[in-house]
Amino acid sequence: MSTGRRVMLGSAAVLVAATAIGIGIYSARGDYRVLYAGLPTDEAGTVTAKLQSLGVSYRLANNGTTVLVPSDQVQQARVSLAAEGVPSRGGKGFELFDEQPIGTTPFVQGVNYTRAVQGELARSIMQLEPVSSARVLIAKPEPSPFVRDQKPATASVVLRLRPGAAFSRSTAAAVVALVARGVEGLKPENVTIVDSAGRVLSEQHDPDNDGAAATQLEYRRDLETHLAAQAEEMLAHTLGYGRAIVRVSADVNFKRVKERRETYNPEERVVASEKVVNSKAAGGSTRGGVAGVASNSGGKTSGGGGGGGNSQEETLQTEYMVSKTTFDSEDRTGVVERLTVAAMLDLTPPEGSSDTPLTLSEAQDIIKQAVGFKTGRDEIKVSNVKLASAVATEPDEEAVALQRFQSYVVMARNISLGLSGLLAAVLGFLFLRRLRPRVVPAPVPATPAPTEDMNELAELVRKDPELIARALVGMMSE
């Protein structure tokens, strides 16, 4: 073989050997799966230290924030670490006081108590569905005997939300109430909540600003979710869970309307006051007397004759109140102007069930009653389809990502095995081709002259050798 062919053959052999060794090492390492993901650096260090003490092999990924262990040890490792209180997401709680050294000063005890309260509150907040991790910081100023020098306690909460999770204002209010009730002397207005993206989630609610865009969107989303959940829950008792999907879209009018209405009813009168005026006059003139109503209105006179007499007049003054109705109204919440309902139902009866399934019209009537459907205002569309799964399950994002990664690894391993086998087959073919002996073709024997011609030539040489000699000389000269 030439030098170039020898170099190429040696390189191919080294490549095959490296591929085989790599596949062997990878196969020996086993299948690793995620134990914990998104851990802070200090908690990841605590987890790995505990795994080393338990004798469990592990790997780190995502810059040390993800810990992976062999797939057959995931559950046992998780249970063992949970028994040890690892990882302590949110910090340590009241277990800080389990091992208090002798001679601890009151200042250190106060600091540890604040740390314990922070850890317990963080753990409680992490029980909420949209929260992935939480951190609570409490600031309590030193007490002062002077009222003007007293400062209120404050708290800050930092949340890391799950991917795609929504943190509503009601949930933020719940977190604020939880923190405020868990710290002595802490008022809800002194609690601030922010997420990992830097957004403030605990904005104080302004009753005069109900028309804010964020509040309108949240109100509409909560309304749609509530109506859809009501319809799905009613259908689930008949069709089964996961066999009905209902979505509601609401058009809401958020205009604030103030109205004041005054109504007068002249038919309904009430006596407010009455006044009786009596006037008397004495003299000769019938129109004489004390100046006043009687003299000016020409009251009647009585008695007397000649040039004198007495007169008396009585006047009744009555004031009436007309009935009046005042009506003040203000609409501060959104008014639903239109509902659009879309539903996909799986009305096929389950296998082995003899119950009569709902009809499409019956299911539509149930949805209408659940969402408060009004004819002429709202729209509804119900379809009978075959749903993919009868049980509504939410896929785990970590499991999906890990499964995708595992599929890529298996694909790469299969491709490498195929290429290694193909390369090994080519090399084997080349080796066999080089080792196979060459087949040398046998020389073709000269065809002997016929025996009769040879005999005639020999007879001619014996009879006339000179003639033969001259013929050979001529041939040689030519």
Side-chain angles (χ1 to χ4, degrees), residues 44-94:
T46 305
V47 170
T48 54
K50 289 294 183 180
L51 291 176
Q52 288 179 355
S53 63
L54 295 174
V56 179
S57 60
Y58 65 88
R59 290 169 51 193
L60 296 177
N62 297 333
N63 297 325
T65 60
T66 302
V67 181
L68 300 95
V69 297
S71 58
D72 56 345
Q73 299 180 4
V74 172
Q75 303 298 333
Q76 183 61 40
R78 190 167 294 171
V79 172
S80 301
L81 292 177
E84 298 288 338
V86 178
S88 58
R89 296 193 175 188
K92 293 184 178 181
F94 286 107

Side-chain angles (χ1 to χ4, degrees), residues 195-375:
D195 61 359
S196 56
R199 296 175 299 179
V200 179
L201 304 178
S202 60
E203 295 180 355
Q204 297 296 328
H205 181 68
D206 186 5
D208 295 332
N209 194 22
D210 286 346
T215 306
Q216 295 177 6
L217 180 61
E218 182 180 357
Y219 176 81
R220 178 179 175 181
R221 182 173 60 245
D222 293 343
L223 176 64
E224 294 172 350
T225 304
H226 174 69
L227 295 178
Q230 277 189 332
E232 289 182 356
E233 184 179 0
M234 292 187 65
L235 293 172
H237 291 290
T238 303
L239 303 178
Y241 287 94
R243 298 173 64 90
I245 300 176
V246 181
R247 295 295 180 265
V248 179
S249 177
D251 294 338
V252 184
N253 185 3
F254 292 97
K255 293 181 180 180
R256 296 176 59 182
V257 178
K258 293 183 178 180
E259 182 181 2
R260 184 168 187 175
R261 187 182 304 168
E262 293 185 358
T263 304
Y264 293 90
N265 189 354
E267 301 298 332
E268 297 179 359
R269 296 183 302 172
V270 178
V271 177
S273 62
E274 290 185 351
K275 184 178 181 181
V276 179
V277 178
N278 295 322
S279 59
K280 295 181 179 180
S285 175
T286 59
R287 302 188 61 87
V290 181
V293 176
S295 59
N296 295 332
S297 60
K300 297 180 180 180
T301 60
S302 61
N310 296 328
S311 64
Q312 182 178 358
E313 184 176 359
E314 181 177 326
T315 304
L316 177 63
Q317 296 179 356
T318 305
E319 295 183 0
Y320 293 93
M321 296 291 294
V322 180
S323 177
K324 181 180 71 172
T325 303
T326 303
F327 177 75
D328 294 336
S329 65
E330 181 178 359
D331 189 1
R332 300 177 62 89
T333 59
V335 179
V336 178
E337 294 185 345
R338 186 175 180 228
L339 292 178
T340 303
V341 185
M344 293 189 300
L345 310 178
D346 189 355
L347 300 179
T348 57
E351 297 182 0
S353 177
S354 59
D355 297 337
T356 303
L358 288 175
T359 62
L360 196 62
S361 60
E362 292 175 345
Q364 183 172 338
D365 293 338
I366 292 176
I367 296 174
K368 287 182 178 181
Q369 295 296 326
V371 301
F373 186 88
K374 291 186 178 180
T375 305

Side-chain angles (χ1 to χ4, degrees), residues 146-192:
F146 302 101
V147 176
R148 63 182 179 181
D149 295 337
Q150 292 180 357
K151 296 181 180 180
T154 58
S156 301
V157 182
V158 181
L159 304 178
R160 181 182 296 275
L161 304 180
R162 300 183 186 276
F167 199 82
S168 62
R169 291 180 179 268
S170 59
T171 308
V175 174
V176 169
L178 176 65
V179 176
R181 300 300 187 274
V183 181
E184 182 181 1
L186 181 61
K187 297 181 180 180
E189 57 267 18
N190 294 330
V191 180
T192 302

